Amino acid sequence: MQSEKPGKMFQRGFILKILRRTVAAILLLGFVYGIVAAIYATKTIFKVKENYAVVLEKFGGKRDAVTDVGWHVRLPFFTRIEQEVTLMNQTMFLGGEIAPLRIISRENVALWTSGLLTYRIRDLDQWAIENLLPMTLLQGDYDGIVKDILQAQSLNNLISDREEIKEEIFLALKSRPINEGGPSLEQKYGIDVVSFVLRDTRFGDQLIAASEEKKRRELIAEGENYAASQEADRIRKLYAAYLEGISALQEGLGSRQDASTDQALLQFLAQQKWADAYEKNQAGQNTVVIQSSGNTTPVTLPLPAIDKAKNKARNRDKDVDTE
């Protein structure tokens, strides 16, 4: 019975020893991890990823570009990471936003357009060391060049000749000097302009409605002009046939020096006109229109002799009845 107590005490002391060592190891690992995390948070140890570069600013203002892939160490308080630059293809929207940008054409007509520039940094020293805030500078020069070209175009070219305008802008971004005698975008920023896409070119909503209304009115006017042209052709044909008929009638009657033939012809035509008017007067009306041309005044026809005799007899009968 006495030999079991030392064994239990030994086991209990061993367990406590293991627990103390485990807690100490955990505390040590936590302390080391905290120090490493603090160092990493201050970017004293930093990593350069593939297709990336880091620009370091040293004490005194000197700036260096680190392009070697892997882990690197810098001196705290004496150096700082100024920026991390990607060396892959990058995009830049016109106006800095994906939403369309409002421009004015050469005819002072408002349009909405959007463009996308793709570029790649070729010279890191020229991009990050010779230019302060290169992204802001590049955005301003890019917007200025594109707007100058777009707003110098006519309205029809902006809508129908997008391919030619896109190529003109691409060549300007790639090789045209920003100012006369100055550098191009590639020379100023050390980049390669990969491509440019004119994503959208359209009218505003109000202008679209006005254009549709204008087209509708043009179609109506064109239809009215066509109808008027057809009516004019019909009138010309009728007039030509009328003249041809009169000429044939006059030729058939013959011509005399005393102009009696012309007088007879005029009387015949007048007789035909009155006959046509009587033929249309089927309801016993006295007022008829010989020819309706819009401004024709009504013509009152005289009653025939038979109708006059009937009216006189009817009036006599009324007088007798009255007596």
Side-chain angles (χ1 to χ4, degrees), residues 75-91:
L75 294 176
F77 306 109
F78 293 96
T79 59
R80 72 179 185 90
I81 297 178
E82 185 181 74
Q83 59 179 306
E84 187 179 23
V85 182
T86 176
L87 303 179
M88 297 178 288
N89 290 343
Q90 303 181 64
T91 58

Side-chain angles (χ1 to χ4, degrees), residues 11 51 80 118 149 155 179 184 209 215-216 240 257 270:
Q11 293 178 356
N51 292 325
R80 72 179 185 90
T118 303
I149 296 176
L155 183 63
N179 299 103
S184 63
K215 290 180 181 179
R216 188 183 69 83
Q257 295 181 355

Side-chain angles (χ1 to χ4, degrees), residues 44-55:
T44 303
I45 300 175
F46 63 94
K47 181 180 181 181
V48 177
K49 297 178 289 185
E50 188 175 359
N51 292 325
Y52 281 84
V54 174
V55 178

Side-chain angles (χ1 to χ4, degrees), residues 178-192:
I178 302 173
N179 299 103
E180 185 176 356
S184 63
L185 286 182
E186 292 187 345
Q187 295 171 346
K188 181 178 179 180
Y189 297 102
I191 62 175
D192 289 328

Side-chain angles (χ1 to χ4, degrees), residues 8 10 42 53 64 79 98 153 159 174 179-180 187 195 198 201 213 248 297:
K8 291 181 179 180
F10 176 77
T42 59
D64 290 330
T79 59
I98 192 172
Q153 303 293 328
I159 300 300
K174 192 169 184 64
N179 299 103
E180 185 176 356
Q187 295 171 346
S195 65
L198 197 59
T201 304
E213 178 65 18
T297 58

Side-chain angles (χ1 to χ4, degrees), residues 183-214:
S184 63
L185 286 182
E186 292 187 345
Q187 295 171 346
K188 181 178 179 180
Y189 297 102
I191 62 175
D192 289 328
V193 176
V194 179
S195 65
F196 173 78
V197 177
L198 197 59
R199 302 177 62 244
D200 189 17
T201 304
R202 59 180 175 83
F203 297 116
D205 296 335
Q206 295 181 354
L207 188 57
I208 291 175
S211 301
E212 292 177 352
E213 178 65 18
K214 181 180 178 182

Side-chain angles (χ1 to χ4, degrees), residues 83-272:
Q83 59 179 306
E84 187 179 23
V85 182
T86 176
L87 303 179
M88 297 178 288
N89 290 343
Q90 303 181 64
T91 58
M92 180 174 289
F93 290 98
L94 184 62
E97 298 179 357
I98 192 172
L101 181 69
R102 186 173 181 266
I103 64 170
I104 305 297
S105 68
R106 193 169 59 188
E107 297 89 351
N108 292 328
V109 178
L111 290 92
W112 293 93
T113 185
S114 59
L116 180 64
L117 170 68
T118 303
Y119 67 96
R120 180 174 56 251
I121 298 174
R122 169 176 40 83
D123 190 339
L124 188 62
D125 292 338
Q126 190 172 1
W127 168 265
I129 297 177
E130 295 183 9
N131 293 285
L132 181 64
L133 302 176
M135 292 292 293
T136 304
L137 296 176
L138 178 60
Q139 183 74 62
D141 291 338
Y142 163 57
D143 292 344
I145 293 175
V146 175
K147 288 181 181 179
D148 288 343
I149 296 176
L150 289 177
Q151 297 190 165
Q153 303 293 328
S154 63
L155 183 63
N156 292 333
N157 292 340
L158 288 172
I159 300 300
S160 59
D161 296 337
R162 285 168 42 89
E163 182 69 23
E164 297 179 2
I165 296 175
K166 180 189 71 173
E167 293 301 325
E168 181 180 354
I169 294 175
F170 173 73
L171 293 177
L173 295 174
K174 192 169 184 64
S175 59
R176 183 184 300 179
I178 302 173
N179 299 103
E180 185 176 356
S184 63
L185 286 182
E186 292 187 345
Q187 295 171 346
K188 181 178 179 180
Y189 297 102
I191 62 175
D192 289 328
V193 176
V194 179
S195 65
F196 173 78
V197 177
L198 197 59
R199 302 177 62 244
D200 189 17
T201 304
R202 59 180 175 83
F203 297 116
D205 296 335
Q206 295 181 354
L207 188 57
I208 291 175
S211 301
E212 292 177 352
E213 178 65 18
K214 181 180 178 182
K215 290 180 181 179
R216 188 183 69 83
R217 293 182 178 181
E218 289 177 351
L219 291 176
I220 293 175
E222 185 178 353
E224 292 177 350
N225 292 335
Y226 178 76
S229 177
Q230 293 294 320
E231 181 66 16
D233 290 339
R234 188 183 67 84
I235 293 175
R236 281 194 293 268
K237 291 178 181 179
L238 290 175
Y239 184 70
Y242 182 71
L243 290 180
E244 184 179 355
I246 293 177
S247 299
L249 182 59
Q250 188 175 16
E251 184 179 355
L253 293 174
S255 61
R256 296 180 182 179
Q257 295 181 355
D258 57 357
S260 60
T261 303
D262 296 338
Q263 185 68 24
L265 179 59
L266 291 174
Q267 292 177 356
F268 173 76
L269 293 176
Q271 181 183 2
Q272 293 297 319

